[in-house]
Structures are given as C-alpha cells and as structure tokens.
Amino acid sequence: NAGVTQTPKFRVLKTGQSMTLLCAQDMNHEYMYWYRQDPGMGLRLIHYSVGEGTTAKGEVPDGYNVSRLKKQNFLLGLESAAPSQTSVYFCASSYFWTVTDTQYFGPGTRLTVL
Amino acid sequence: AQTVTQSQPEMSVQEAETVTLSCTYDTSESDYYLFWYKQPPSRQMILVIRQEAYKQQNATENRFSVNFQKAAKSFSLKISDSQLGDAAMYFCAYRRVIQGAQKLVFGQGTRLTINP
C-alpha cells in the first residue's frame, strides 16, 4: 500500500494563477482532510470530507475549494493564488472516527506564491 | 475553542539520554483524544503515541511514553534512550469531533535535536 500520496511535491505560482493539489489514498478511508502548515505554527485544517461527494469547511477555508468526486481522491484548488497562501500543504485520511482511529498523513506539498 | 500550546520551540538532548517535551491544552470537553506526531525533515507526519482522555493509565509505545494530567490539562512526551533518528519536529494535537468528522488541533511544535 502506498498510503496517502500527494501531487505535486513542489510548486511555484505567480499571484493570480490557479492550481489543483491532488491527494490520493489507497486505504479505503472515508474521511479526508487538507491542512496547511506555516512556519512557527501547527497544522491548520482547511477543508475536510466525510465521504465521497461531501465536503465541509475547516478552520481556514477562504481562498480554497475542494472536491471529492471519488472516495480515494481529495482535490484542493486555489482559484487565484495569493502570497499569503505560500505554505506546506498536507493531506490526511482516516477510516472513521472510532476510538482507535488515526489520521494518516501524506508527505506534503510545498507551495510558493510569488 | 480548543487550543494546544507547546511552550518549548526547541529542545536538545544527548544521545541515549531522556528528554521530555511539554504540551498543555484547553478544552471544556470531558471526552477527547490527544496525540503526539513526529515530523522529520521528509515532512511526513508520523503518529508517535495516542492517549484517550477517559483512560487514567499513561500510554506507552516502546521508548515513548506520556505523562497525562487531565486536571492540569497537561500531556507531555518522554523519549527514553534518545536515538539520532528521533531528531524531528514534534507536534502535540487534540482531537475533537465536529459534525461527524474528527478534527485535529495542533500545537506550534518543538524541534528536537539529538547530540551524538
């Protein structure tokens, strides 16, 4: 199993450009999440999904959109990138929220917006 | 709102010695879960240890153990017999459930250096 993978690993954008980050998991997990990590701060939740076809806002959703058309994929889109969106983005997934459940993280995508 | 605070931005320890990383949190909930994650230079977030709030017994995983003080809202991580591979950022996290989905609230992280 590959676990949680993210594409791309690095990206540089100019202000106003758009892009989509892809997260894929092969663990048949129901729940998927997108986080951002800024220097000196912990991860903050952007959006999440509790199942195929569903999405919901997290802590810092402004400027991002997401889609979960297939259970194994969770896409994060930036329609008009801004320098404030320069960050490392992490995707995570979990099977459910049972007592023993755990979120599994991808390796991250470093995004720079000039 | 739940918050998680790690007051030590950086820590260092000699190889083979023991180090403790601190974490405090704020919540009004009685049932919750706490985690420690390790983030090496590869940026991968790796689960180190988990503690259920309803359990009084402290969790242990090999060389890693926690000191969970529920009344004080403290959740520290002890690493025994430190190894070079333990060098990483360590994040404390609180798990809450909102609208059927679990959400993790993270602390700011502690960078751990292991001196050979």
Side-chain angles (χ1 to χ4, degrees):
Chain A
N1 286 351
V4 180
T5 58
Q6 294 182 229
T7 308
K9 289 186 170 53
F10 302 93
R11 186 71 187 269
V12 179
L13 290 178
K14 294 182 179 178
T15 297
Q17 287 185 320
S18 63
M19 77 162 294
T20 300
L21 306 182
L22 171 63
C23 175
Q25 52 94 4
D26 61 1
M27 297 175 281
N28 201 33
H29 284 173
E30 291 292 335
Y31 294 75
M32 297 187 74
Y33 311 80
W34 275 108
Y35 293 90
R36 61 178 288 173
Q37 183 181 28
D38 300 309
M41 301 181 70
L43 279 71
R44 291 182 293 166
L45 183 66
I46 304 171
H47 285 281
Y48 65 97
S49 168
V50 302
E52 182 178 322
T54 74
T55 62
K57 294 180 180 179
E59 243 183 300
V60 288
D62 294 342
Y64 305 95
N65 57 75
V66 288
S67 65
R68 183 102 180 265
L69 299 180
K70 293 183 179 180
K71 185 177 183 179
Q72 63 268 33
N73 295 337
F74 194 29
L75 278 63
L76 177 71
L78 287 73
E79 290 186 350
S80 179
S84 61
Q85 294 177 304
T86 294
S87 188
V88 180
Y89 291 85
F90 286 93
C91 176
S93 71
S94 61
Y95 183 69
F96 198 50
W97 75 273
T98 60
V99 170
T100 58
D101 196 33
T102 300
Q103 289 191 19
Y104 295 86
F105 285 82
T109 295
R110 182 176 294 278
L111 174 66
T112 301
V113 182
L114 303 176
Chain B
Q2 288 81 5
T3 58
V4 177
T5 302
Q6 293 177 249
S7 58
Q8 306 154 315
E10 297 183 355
M11 292 281 286
S12 63
V13 64
Q14 290 296 123
E15 190 177 4
E17 293 189 348
T18 296
V19 64
T20 299
L21 307 184
S22 301
C23 173
T24 58
Y25 59 94
D26 184 28
T27 184
S28 58
E29 298 174 338
S30 59
D31 192 15
Y32 50 88
Y33 299 86
L34 297 164
F35 303 82
W36 278 99
Y37 280 90
K38 170 184 176 182
Q39 186 182 44
S42 66
R43 298 206 305 264
Q44 182 88 40
M45 293 289 283
I46 302 166
L47 178 64
V48 174
I49 199 165
R50 173 181 56 228
Q51 174 78 44
E52 291 89 342
Y54 65 88
K55 288 187 177 179
Q56 294 189 346
Q57 186 174 5
N58 290 324
T60 62
E61 288 287 343
N62 300 315
R63 297 183 294 106
F64 299 87
S65 61
V66 299
N67 183 4
F68 174 48
Q69 302 289 330
K70 190 172 184 179
K73 296 180 182 175
S74 170
F75 182 60
S76 60
L77 174 70
K78 185 171 81 172
I79 305 174
S80 304
D81 186 24
S82 299
Q83 300 176 359
L84 295 178
D86 294 334
M89 282 289 289
Y90 285 82
F91 290 95
C92 178
Y94 171 101
R95 189 180 85 175
R96 51 198 291 233
V97 176
I98 296 179
Q99 297 176 342
Q102 54 162 314
K103 297 181 184 179
L104 291 175
V105 178
F106 287 85
Q108 305 92 325
T110 296
R111 183 175 301 281
L112 178 64
T113 301
I114 311 296
N115 300 315

